[in-house]
Amino acid sequence: MKKTDHLLRNIVLVLILCLGALFFISPAKSDEADKLPVVIQELVKPPFVPRHNIVAKGGPKVIKVRMTLTEKVITIDEEGTKLRVFAFNDSIPGPLIVAHVDDYIELTLVSPKKNNFEHNIDFHASTGALGGGGLTHILPGEAVILRWKATKPGVFVYHCAPGGSMVPWHVVKGMNGAVMVLPRDGLKDRNGNPITYDKAYYIGEQDFYVPKDEYGRYKEYLHPGDGFSDVLKVMKTLTPTHVVFNGAVGSLEGKNALKSKVGESVMFIHAQSNRDTRPHLIGGHGDYVWPNGSFNDPPRTNLETWFVPGGAAGAMIYKFRQPGTYVYLNHNLIEAFILGAKAEVKVTGKWNDDLMKQIMKPTKIVE
Ligand SMILES: [Cu+2]
C-alpha cells in the first residue's frame, strides 16, 4: 500500500470515529416546550370547568392532563333505558380542558385492561396527524402521551375516531368533549373592550340511537359488541332516539340545575360532536355569542337563538338580570322537551319590576 493511501485511510477512520463520538455524546434533541413551566390541570366533571384565569398569567406553559377511557352501562332516561357507553374520563361529555393560546396540552390517555375496544382522540383545536388521532390509537391495557400546541383561540370539540364506522359509533356512544383556548389577553368585544365572566358552565349535547324490539321497547345488549348492526340501522335513519345534555335526560335539572344570581355573568360552552344544534336561553339572551366558537372573531350580540354546527363547540355569555328558573335548551323544541335536550338555570336575587311586571294576575273573565 502506498504511504498516501495509508494516510488517507487513517484520516477517514479518525473522521468516522469523531462523528460517531459526537452522535453519542450530543444531548437528546429538546423542543421549545421542554423548557416551559409545567402545570397539572385537575379535570372536573361537566357541567363544571377547571379553575382558570380569563387573562393568562405569565408566559406559555405545558398543561398536563390525564384521561382514562371508560366503557360502561349507564341509564340515559327517566324510563330506565340502559345503554353501553364509551367515555373520556367517565363522563359524557368528556371533561373540558382549558388553555391559553401558545400553551401546550400534554395528554396522557389511558385505556384500562378491562376495556374491549381500540380508542384514540382527535382534538379539533390541534394541528396535524388527524388532530392527534393518528398518534393516539390505543388498545385495552395501553397508554399514550400526546403533546400539542394551542394556536387557535376558541372552543373546540375533541372526540374518538378509531376509523370507518367506528368513528360515528364511538362518538354517539359518548366519546366526545371540548377544549377552550382563551386569547392570552382575554376575550374582547367588537370594540376591543374586555369581556369577562364570573363562572362558566359546559354543556355537552349528545345524540343517542337506541334500537327498539318488536314491541317498541328499547333493547338492551348483554355483551360489549352486541347490537352494533342494530344501532347502525338506527344511526342511518339520522333520527336520534335521545338528544340529551350531559349524558342523560334531566341530568341538569332539579337538584342538578345550573345556578347563578342576578348580576352574575355566566359563560355557557355548548359542544356537539355529531349533530347541528341551536341553543337558546328561555327568559334571557345571548349577550355575547361566538356561535362557531372562534375567539378571533368579535362576538355577536343580543341573540335569541344561535347555531352550533355538528362537530363544533360554541360559547355564549349572559348576565342574569332577573331571578327565577330559566331553561337553557336546544330550540328544536321536540328535541328539547321530548328527546331531552334541556337544562334548568336557577337564579337567585331581587326581581326588577322595571324589566317585567305582572299588571293583573290571571282573573276570571265575564263572557
Ligand atoms: Cu373510542
Side-chain angles (χ1 to χ4, degrees), residues 285-322:
H285 306 92
D287 286 344
Y288 298 107
V289 185
W290 295 265
N292 254 79
S294 170
F295 292 147
N296 256 358
D297 300 329
R300 299 188 61 196
T301 55
N302 301 337
L303 299 190
E304 55 178 328
T305 300
W306 48 102
F307 186 63
V308 177
M316 176 278 264
I317 293 175
Y318 182 62
K319 183 177 178 176
F320 285 96
R321 281 100 164 163
Q322 292 281 38

Side-chain angles (χ1 to χ4, degrees), residues 69 71 86-88 117-121 159-162 166-167 169-171 175:
L69 301 169
E71 301 176 1
F86 299 162
F88 287 103
F117 295 90
E118 180 184 332
H119 301 288
N120 70 345
I121 189 164
H159 61 87
C160 186
M166 287 293 117
V167 179
W169 192 51
H170 285 222
V171 171
M175 288 202 93

Side-chain angles (χ1 to χ4, degrees), residues 243-311:
V243 181
V244 302
F245 289 170
N246 285 34
V249 176
S251 67
L252 300 177
E253 295 179 52
K255 68 175 178 22
N256 296 320
L258 312 178
K259 288 176 186 66
S260 185
K261 52 191 180 208
V262 170
E264 200 170 50
S265 287
V266 182
M267 174 185 268
F268 294 81
I269 298 157
H270 197 113
Q272 224 303 6
S273 284
N274 191 59
R275 205 166 169 277
D276 301 346
T277 184
R278 49 207 74 69
H280 171 91
L281 178 67
I282 303 181
H285 306 92
D287 286 344
Y288 298 107
V289 185
W290 295 265
N292 254 79
S294 170
F295 292 147
N296 256 358
D297 300 329
R300 299 188 61 196
T301 55
N302 301 337
L303 299 190
E304 55 178 328
T305 300
W306 48 102
F307 186 63
V308 177

Side-chain angles (χ1 to χ4, degrees), residues 35-83:
K35 299 166 199 149
L36 297 179
V38 171
V39 289
I40 312 276
Q41 185 163 100
E42 288 300 331
L43 300 177
V44 295
K45 287 231 185 292
F48 303 105
V49 307
R51 289 173 70 93
H52 64 276
N53 299 309
I54 300 175
V55 174
K57 282 195 176 140
K61 296 170 181 64
V62 174
I63 296 170
K64 287 194 177 180
V65 292
R66 183 187 173 87
M67 292 205 282
T68 303
L69 301 169
T70 24
E71 301 176 1
K72 63 170 186 181
V73 176
I74 63 163
T75 302
I76 58 164
D77 60 24
E78 284 129 351
E79 289 78 51
T81 304
K82 299 244 185 332
L83 180 68

Side-chain angles (χ1 to χ4, degrees), residues 133-195:
L135 301 174
T136 51
H137 283 268
I138 48 171
L139 294 169
E142 290 185 338
V144 66
I145 300 178
L146 178 77
R147 187 180 69 200
W148 56 272
K149 188 175 188 176
T151 57
K152 308 275 186 199
V155 280
F156 303 85
V157 298
Y158 64 77
H159 61 87
C160 186
S165 55
M166 287 293 117
V167 179
W169 192 51
H170 285 222
V171 171
V172 300
K173 269 181 166 295
M175 288 202 93
N176 55 81
V179 175
M180 174 158 74
V181 181
L182 289 158
R184 294 205 77 79
D185 57 350
L187 301 168
K188 301 277 167 62
D189 69 11
R190 66 165 72 98
N191 300 315
N193 301 311
I195 301 173

